[in-house]
Amino acid sequence: MAEYSLKPVKVPHIKTKYRTIKTALPVPQSLPVFKELRRSEPRSMSGQPPILWHSADDFIVSDKWGNRWIDWSSGVLITNAGHGNKQITAAVRKIVDRPLLATYVFPHEDRATFTRMLREISPDPKSYQVFLLSTGSEATENCIKLSKTYAVQKHGAHKKYFVSFRNGFHGRTMGSQLAGGNEKLKTWMVDRDRTFVQVPFPDGFKNTDTSFDLFLKSLAEQNVKPQDIAGVMVESYQGVGPDFLPVGYAQKLEKFCRQHDIVLTMDEVQAGFGRTGKMFCFQHYGIKPDLIACGKGITSSLPLSAVIGRTAIMDLYAPGSMTSTHSASPLATAAGIANLKVLKGKKLAQRAAKLGAWFIPELERIQKKYPQRLGCCWGKGLVAGIQVVKPGTREPDAVVATAINVACFHKGLLMFAPVGIGGECLKIAPPLTIAEAALRESLAVFEQSVDEVMARL
């Protein structure tokens, strides 16, 4: 994870329609708050650019000292419909004023409305159901649980393996990290559940073999037989990139799962709700998953997640045996309903596709200026990533990636800390509502930042 200095630096003042920088950064007056956070919280909660968020409106984030940044983070791919969307805040305020703040799993009307709305955007509204939860990790955990339950109940205990992909990320709880593909995040487990296995992801850069034969070969090398696999889970795009599946690979994977009655889960926690130019990223592949894990952009605001899946799998548990304390929280559910209305009403998925049609090629142009240091650029819609590498290699360079990130921060362009397998990936994910003029301005700022850092190397 990136390390950011808390020593204030004098930076050029900036004043445009969308950006304002008028103080040293980080703001000297903010340092006591950072000091208190470091005293009160574990250091794992640090690691983002040192700005104290005070307000956020649409695609602009502001501190209390008058600085404003164009946001290329959307929180962390949360605010697809924009920060503080007026329709969403009004819907939440209405529930607060009622008031109705917590319901456990006692029914309320919005729960029926929202689950219907999610079912209607599923691959088949007649044969899918919806289970609402709070976090993406909860969603992927339940996909694991449902996959294994279906396999054992229908086929027996031999059908036990759960297959996922190297470099994948599915959350921070134990089951989601077992399914994750980052070995560094699993060293604490020591003795692991050996029914969780990983295979290479066909990203085309970190792994240049994008054939489905490699999937089959990798399973065979681990002595995993297709008839013994309960489930396969894959991010619709891997968050370390974004790294996308080749369409043909995705379709062969679906066929493989159908052939062996394996539950196929698409993890859309980061990718869903218009981000890639379609409501769900898996729609680019022309496939129909059994389970869909959702989160982040599902409300563009409050904590909520969901599993959308085939009724034959979702309905396996008796009443009261698959629930969560804050399932369908009234506030979050109201936000989710309003969010879906905004996404559809403003056609934000289509807007992301339209903007991405020129934005992604521009990012690719910047990457090609420095091919020895910017290893690749992948993107779709309004999500993209550029992987920074050591000269002439594919080895991650977190130091240079962080330097670019900081240069952007100093110029009024905000991204979250570089991601990737080694902190090398500059992740780009503005709200889908970003004004085209602001997107072009921020693109120019990004290119200027890259140019400046490269000139210093």
Side-chain angles (χ1 to χ4, degrees):
M1 177 61 73
E3 293 286 342
Y4 293 93
S5 172
L6 288 179
K7 182 178 180 180
V9 175
K10 290 184 178 180
V11 297
H13 288 189
I14 296 167
K15 178 64 177 178
T16 74
K17 182 178 180 180
Y18 305 112
R19 295 177 293 136
T20 303
I21 300 296
K22 58 194 301 186
T23 69
L25 295 177
V27 178
Q29 295 94 318
S30 72
L31 298 185
V33 179
F34 283 108
K35 185 177 180 180
E36 180 55 46
L37 286 170
R38 184 65 191 94
R39 179 163 50 240
S40 300
E41 292 182 338
R43 63 191 181 101
S44 64
M45 283 295 290
S46 62
Q48 295 300 326
I51 163 182
L52 283 184
W53 290 40
H54 181 69
S55 63
D57 181 23
D58 201 0
F59 54 87
I60 295 175
V61 173
S62 304
D63 67 15
K64 63 192 295 184
W65 296 279
N67 298 307
R68 301 183 305 147
W69 289 262
I70 296 175
D71 181 28
W72 270 16
S73 77
S74 297
V76 57
L77 298 108
I78 297 169
T79 54
N80 290 6
H83 292 281
N85 180 280
K86 290 180 174 55
Q87 288 175 248
I88 295 172
T89 53
V92 172
R93 188 175 294 110
K94 185 176 180 180
I95 301 300
V96 171
D97 290 343
R98 187 176 296 178
L100 185 68
L101 303 186
T103 55
Y104 178 47
V105 291
F106 291 101
H108 60 90
E109 190 172 357
D110 279 354
R111 191 170 112 199
T113 298
F114 192 45
T115 52
R116 173 184 56 77
M117 292 173 73
L118 291 174
R119 180 171 53 80
E120 287 175 346
I121 61 172
S122 74
D124 183 359
K126 294 181 180 179
S127 61
Y128 279 66
Q129 292 181 323
V130 178
F131 178 34
L132 296 177
L133 298 130
S134 302
T135 69
S137 294
E138 273 192 295
T140 57
E141 285 271 356
N142 275 274
C143 289
I144 296 167
K145 176 180 177 179
L146 286 165
S147 298
K148 285 187 167 247
T149 301
Y150 174 83
V152 170
Q153 288 190 10
K154 188 173 180 181
H155 297 281
H158 72 91
K159 201 170 180 65
K160 61 184 179 180
Y161 290 102
F162 194 84
V163 179
S164 52
F165 289 78
R166 293 174 195 164
N167 300 326
F169 183 80
H170 299 290
R172 299 198 184 277
T173 52
M174 189 167 187
S176 61
Q177 288 202 340
L178 278 167
N182 187 335
E183 286 298 310
K184 294 178 182 177
L185 298 179
K186 295 190 272 192
T187 55
W188 62 275
M189 296 180 188
V190 187
D191 293 325
R192 303 181 200 169
D193 183 338
R194 300 300 172 183
T195 66
F196 286 82
V197 298
Q198 279 82 47
V199 297
F201 186 87
D203 64 279
F205 183 74
K206 295 179 286 292
N207 168 35
T208 57
D209 186 347
T210 60
S211 71
F212 192 69
D213 288 341
L214 182 60
F215 176 90
L216 300 173
K217 179 183 177 183
S218 299
L219 292 177
E221 288 173 347
Q222 298 177 76
N223 297 314
V224 175
K225 299 177 181 178
Q227 62 268 28
D228 294 337
I229 299 172
V232 173
M233 180 160 65
V234 58
E235 293 167 278
S236 295
Y237 67 71
Q238 282 200 327
V240 294
D243 295 328
F244 296 87
L245 290 162
V247 172
Y249 186 106
Q251 292 177 352
K252 288 179 181 178
L253 178 62
E254 179 190 36
K255 183 178 179 181
F256 172 84
C257 290
R258 296 287 171 266
Q259 181 181 352
H260 300 285
D261 200 20
I262 297 166
V263 177
L264 175 61
T265 296
M266 299 304 292
D267 181 348
E268 289 270 344
V269 171
Q270 186 178 126
F273 298 95
R275 175 57 59 183
T276 64
K278 292 185 181 291
M279 184 61 75
F280 294 114
C281 182
F282 71 78
Q283 292 171 322
H284 291 285
Y285 307 135
I287 63 174
K288 184 178 176 181
D290 299 299
L291 299 175
I292 307 161
C294 304
K296 296 187 184 295
I298 193 172
T299 65
S300 290
S301 54
L302 301 181
L304 188 69
S305 65
V307 177
I308 304 173
R310 290 199 295 116
T311 300
I313 302 169
M314 298 286 285
D315 238 5
L316 291 170
Y317 280 88
S321 59
M322 191 175 77
T323 63
S324 181
T325 301
H326 293 286
S327 283
S329 161
L331 295 179
T333 303
I337 292 170
N339 181 57
L340 270 183
K341 289 179 178 178
V342 171
L343 290 174
K344 289 182 176 182
K346 294 188 175 181
K347 299 182 178 180
L348 292 183
Q350 296 92 322
R351 189 172 191 275
K354 182 179 179 180
L355 292 175
W358 65 261
F359 182 61
I360 303 300
E362 281 295 290
L363 292 173
E364 291 170 346
R365 177 186 60 78
I366 295 170
Q367 179 266 322
K368 289 173 182 174
K369 290 172 65 175
Y370 307 101
Q372 294 295 304
R373 303 307 300 257
L374 305 181
C376 68
C377 174
W378 307 137
K380 199 180 291 292
L382 282 180
V383 62
I386 295 178
Q387 298 186 37
V388 184
V389 296
K390 295 182 179 178
T393 73
R394 299 191 181 194
E395 184 179 347
D397 193 333
V399 173
V400 174
T402 301
I404 296 171
N405 182 280
V406 170
C408 290
F409 168 60
H410 286 171
K411 297 178 192 303
L413 174 59
L414 183 63
M415 294 185 282
F416 47 76
V419 296
I421 59 174
E424 79 283 7
C425 184
L426 296 164
K427 194 72 167 287
I428 299 161
L432 309 186
T433 53
I434 187 169
E436 183 169 345
L439 190 58
R440 292 188 183 277
E441 179 177 316
S442 53
L443 179 71
V445 172
F446 179 73
E447 182 168 13
Q448 183 183 5
S449 300
V450 170
D451 289 344
E452 289 180 2
V453 172
M454 292 299 163
R456 297 199 299 261
L457 297 178

